[in-house]
Amino acid sequence: MRWRNWDGRIRCQPAVYAAPRSEHELRRIMRQWSSEGRRVRVAGSGHSFTPLVESADALLWLGRLSGLHSVDAAAGTVTVWAGTTLRRLGRLLAAQGLAQENLGDIDAQSIAGAIATGTHGTGAALPPLAAQVQGLTLITAAGECMDIDAQRDPDLLDAARVSLGALGVISRVRLQVMPAYRLHLRVRRGTLEECLERGDDYADQHRHFEFYWFPWSPVTQLKFTDVTGAAAQPRPWWNRAADEVLENGVFYVASEVCRRVPRWSPALSRLAARTVATGEAVDASARIFATARRVRFHEMEYALPRAELAPALREIRRRIERAGYQVHFPLECRYSAADTAWLSPAAGRDSAYIAVHMYRGMPFEAYFRDLEAVLRAHGGRPHWGKWHTPDPALYAAQYAHWHDFLRTRARLDPDNRMLNPWLRRELGDA
C-alpha cells in the first residue's frame, strides 16, 4: 500500500496497513500491533501538509468508520465516527435538522483529523472546531478503550481534542451542534489598507469575516457572512459555473504558466486580483462555508494575537517585494475566539490567522521560511497540519500546558507507539 497526502509532497509505503470497519476491529488491530511492537500512524483524508501521517511501519485508515453513531436531540449533541468527512457530516446533520456552529472553507477533512490538527473557520466570537467536541472515544496504543468526557475529565479532553494523533486513535467524537440555519454571504473587492485599518471592526461586526490579499497588488477579496432568516437564494447556476471556471479552470492554467515561467507570477497575481469573484448568496450554512479547491497547493498558516495581524501583514508585504518572491497565490486572513484545548493554536487568546500558499510544484520553502520568521516574531503559533518548522522549545514558551500534554502523552503511550520521526521532532523529548 502506498499513501500520499493531498498536495502529493508527503508519501510513504507502510509495512502493514489496516482499514477497520468497527471499533471492535480497531481495538483488535491495535492490540495485535502493540504485541508486535509496531509504531502506528492514522490517516484521515490526507489534508495535512506536514508528515503527521507518514509511516514506514503501521498505518490505519479510518474512512470505513464513517457516519452518525447517535443523536441526542435533548442535549443538542451528535456522536459521529472519526473517519466521517466534514462534507458528509454536513449532509447527515442537515437530514436531522442540525448543523455545526462553524466550519473552515474546505470540507474534505475527516472530523478526527480536523480537530486533531486545530482546524478552524473564521468568526471572532467562534473558537476552532475542536471546541465543539464534548467528548470522544480514544483507543490507546495498547488497544484500551477510553471514553473521555467534558464533565468527568475536562483536562484530559482538553489534551485529547487537539492531540496531533499522538495520544491514541480517536474512534468516535461527540459534538455540540445547533439547529440548522442559513447564512447570508456577501463578497466584494477592497484594498489591503482597508483590511488592515478596519479588519478588527469587520470581524466584530459580523459573525464571520475573512479576506484574501493578492501579493504584488493592493487588492483584497472580502467575505462577510451572517445568520439570516431569509429564504435560500443560492447564486444562479451560471454564476456558479463561471466562478468554477475562473477560480479552478483558469486559475489552474495561470498556475501552470507560473510554474513554467515563475517571473510572470507577479503579473498574474495582479490579473487574478482584478478578476476576483464578487456577489452574494443565502444558503444552508454548510454549503456557504465550503469552497471547492481543485487547484492544489502547499500551505503554511500561523495563529497570531489579533493585534499582531496588521503589523505582520505589513512586514510580509515588505519582504515579498524586497525579496522579489515569485508568488501568485493570495494570502488568507481569518479570525477566531480563544480555545481551551491545550495545543490549540488559539489556546488562551483571541487569534487572527495568516495562511500562505504556493502552487504545487513551485519552489516554496525559502518563501515560507522567510514569512515564518515574521509570523513567529509576532507571536505566531503554527497550524499543526500545515507546513512549519518544528520548534518544541518555542512551543514550551508559547503553550501554558505544553508539559502537561507531554506528561499525558507519556502516560497513555509509554512505549511511544504513536510517534513517527516527525512527531519526535515536533514534541522534542517526549
Side-chain angles (χ1 to χ4, degrees), residues 141-217:
E144 299 301 318
C145 183
M146 300 179 65
D147 287 316
I148 303 171
D149 185 88
Q151 283 71 45
R152 291 194 299 267
D153 199 339
D155 283 349
L156 184 55
L157 184 62
D158 277 342
R161 285 193 292 118
V162 180
S163 68
L164 289 68
L167 302 184
V169 183
I170 295 173
S171 61
R172 284 176 279 159
V173 180
R174 189 170 77 253
L175 299 171
Q176 189 74 51
V177 292
M178 57 189 297
Y181 59 99
R182 287 186 293 277
L183 289 172
H184 181 192
L185 167 68
R186 294 181 298 114
V187 185
R188 69 169 175 84
R189 293 186 188 89
T191 66
L192 179 59
E193 284 305 319
E194 174 191 3
C195 292
L196 297 180
E197 292 172 6
R198 302 189 61 190
D200 267 0
D201 293 336
Y202 290 155
D204 291 333
Q205 292 163 6
H206 297 273
R207 189 176 193 261
H208 312 274
F209 168 67
E210 64 182 308
F211 66 92
Y212 296 78
W213 169 56
F214 293 82
W216 303 104
S217 163

Side-chain angles (χ1 to χ4, degrees), residues 264-298:
W264 289 4
S265 297
L268 285 170
S269 180
R270 289 189 287 267
L271 177 62
R274 289 199 295 271
T275 59
V276 68
T278 60
E280 58 185 306
V282 174
D283 213 334
S285 58
R287 287 197 286 271
I288 289 290
F289 285 130
T291 304
R293 300 293 187 202
R294 309 192 203 287
V295 181
R296 303 208 175 195
F297 49 80
H298 311 299

Side-chain angles (χ1 to χ4, degrees), residues 4 20 32 63 100 109 125 159 219 232 244 250 309 327 354 401 426:
R4 67 179 181 180
Q32 177 183 336
Q100 290 181 260
Q109 307 97 319
V219 175
E244 174 73 16
V250 174
L309 177 65
V327 57
I354 299 177
H401 291 284
E426 194 82 284

Side-chain angles (χ1 to χ4, degrees), residues 213-217 251 254-255 257-259 261-273 297-299 316-317 319-332 355-360 362-364 366-368 371:
W213 169 56
F214 293 82
W216 303 104
S217 163
F251 195 60
S255 297
V257 169
C258 291
R259 185 173 67 83
V261 191
R263 68 177 181 277
W264 289 4
S265 297
L268 285 170
S269 180
R270 289 189 287 267
L271 177 62
F297 49 80
H298 311 299
E299 183 174 7
I316 284 171
R317 178 174 56 185
R319 292 211 181 192
I320 289 174
E321 294 173 355
R322 185 169 63 240
Y325 289 117
Q326 307 300 313
V327 57
H328 67 287
F329 258 80
L331 282 73
E332 181 182 15
V356 184
H357 311 81
M358 181 67 81
Y359 180 56
R360 182 175 69 174
M362 295 181 69
F364 70 93
Y367 172 55
F368 280 14
L371 270 55

Side-chain angles (χ1 to χ4, degrees), residues 340-419:
T340 61
W342 288 354
L343 296 194
S344 171
R349 69 187 192 194
D350 294 341
S351 299
Y353 297 79
I354 299 177
V356 184
H357 311 81
M358 181 67 81
Y359 180 56
R360 182 175 69 174
M362 295 181 69
F364 70 93
E365 290 200 359
Y367 172 55
F368 280 14
R369 288 187 192 283
D370 197 8
L371 270 55
E372 181 179 55
V374 176
L375 297 169
R376 287 186 168 179
H378 287 273
R381 299 166 175 164
H383 184 306
W384 298 111
K386 300 181 182 180
W387 186 98
H388 61 275
T389 306
D391 192 340
L394 176 64
Y395 308 150
Q398 289 181 323
Y399 288 96
H401 291 284
W402 179 255
H403 293 291
D404 295 326
F405 180 84
L406 294 185
R407 282 189 287 270
T408 300
R409 215 211 68 75
R411 175 168 60 85
L412 296 181
D413 181 24
D415 297 321
N416 293 330
R417 302 291 185 205
M418 302 303 301
L419 298 185

